[in-house]
């Protein structure tokens, strides 16, 4: 029987907020809440067996805190996101369903596929917490 594998990423806090030469990414509200609600839905409403949910989140710091409250190994950093995608592709089998939910900033970057998109082409990208 096929199973459902899920990767949920929600980023309210961006560290640092300003990246030289790229831009400013303000902290957001509601992205972590989005993935928590999606997680609840996946756990309670789907008829398909749930193989597992991996969740990476960065809650906006409150009360003067400078970092998200989650442990760093659960932050959606670039390295943690890549590792989560690798675990997901390693766990899913033919016939399984895979659900990926990202809630956070996106951007555009110069394409890695200039032969397809042209030298001025752009790719859509996810913006990790770091």
């Amino acid at each position: 029987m096929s199973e459902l594998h899920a990767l949920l990423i929600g980023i309210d806090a961006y560290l640092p907020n300003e990246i030289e030469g790229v831009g400013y990414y303000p902290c957001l509200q509601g992205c972590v809440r989005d993935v928590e609600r999606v997680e609840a839905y996946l756990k309670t409403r789907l008829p398909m067996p749930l193989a597992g949910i991996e969740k990476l989140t960065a809650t906006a710091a409150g009360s003067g805190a400078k970092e998200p409250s989650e442990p760093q190994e659960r932050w959606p950093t670039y390295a943690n996101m890549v590792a989560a995608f690798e675990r997901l592709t390693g766990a899913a089998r033919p016939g399984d369903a895979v659900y990926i939910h990202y809630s956070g900033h996106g951007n555009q970057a110069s394409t890695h596929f200039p032969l397809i998109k042209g030298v001025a082409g752009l790719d859509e990208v996810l913006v990790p917490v770091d």
Side-chain angles (χ1 to χ4, degrees), residues 3-7 42-43 49-55 88 97 99:
E3 297 180 308
L4 174 65
H5 304 265
L7 173 58
L42 293 174
K43 287 181 174 179
L50 187 58
I53 295 175
E54 181 159 3
K55 186 168 66 169
L88 181 65
Y99 178 76

Side-chain angles (χ1 to χ4, degrees), residues 6-126:
L7 173 58
L8 310 178
I9 301 169
I11 308 173
D12 286 341
Y14 281 87
L15 308 169
N17 285 9
E18 191 166 346
I19 300 171
E20 186 177 331
V22 176
Y24 173 74
Y25 295 102
C27 290
L28 299 170
Q29 295 179 344
C31 298
V32 173
R33 183 182 60 237
D34 288 349
V35 299
E36 288 170 350
R37 289 180 176 172
V38 168
E39 179 183 32
Y41 175 82
L42 293 174
K43 287 181 174 179
T44 61
R45 301 287 176 125
L46 292 182
M48 178 179 277
L50 187 58
I53 295 175
E54 181 159 3
K55 186 168 66 169
L56 300 175
T57 58
T59 303
S63 305
K66 294 184 180 185
E67 295 184 343
S69 58
E70 296 88 347
Q72 285 187 355
E73 64 271 8
R74 304 307 314 154
W75 290 2
T77 62
Y78 175 80
N80 288 348
M81 288 170 62
V82 169
F85 276 105
E86 288 173 349
R87 284 189 296 275
L88 181 65
T89 58
R93 299 289 169 236
D96 285 355
V98 173
Y99 178 76
I100 299 167
H101 183 98
Y102 175 82
S103 187
H105 283 296
N107 205 340
Q108 294 180 323
S110 298
T111 187
H112 284 280
F113 307 99
L115 295 176
I116 297 170
K117 294 185 173 183
V119 293
L122 297 172
D123 292 336
E124 301 296 322
V125 298
L126 306 178

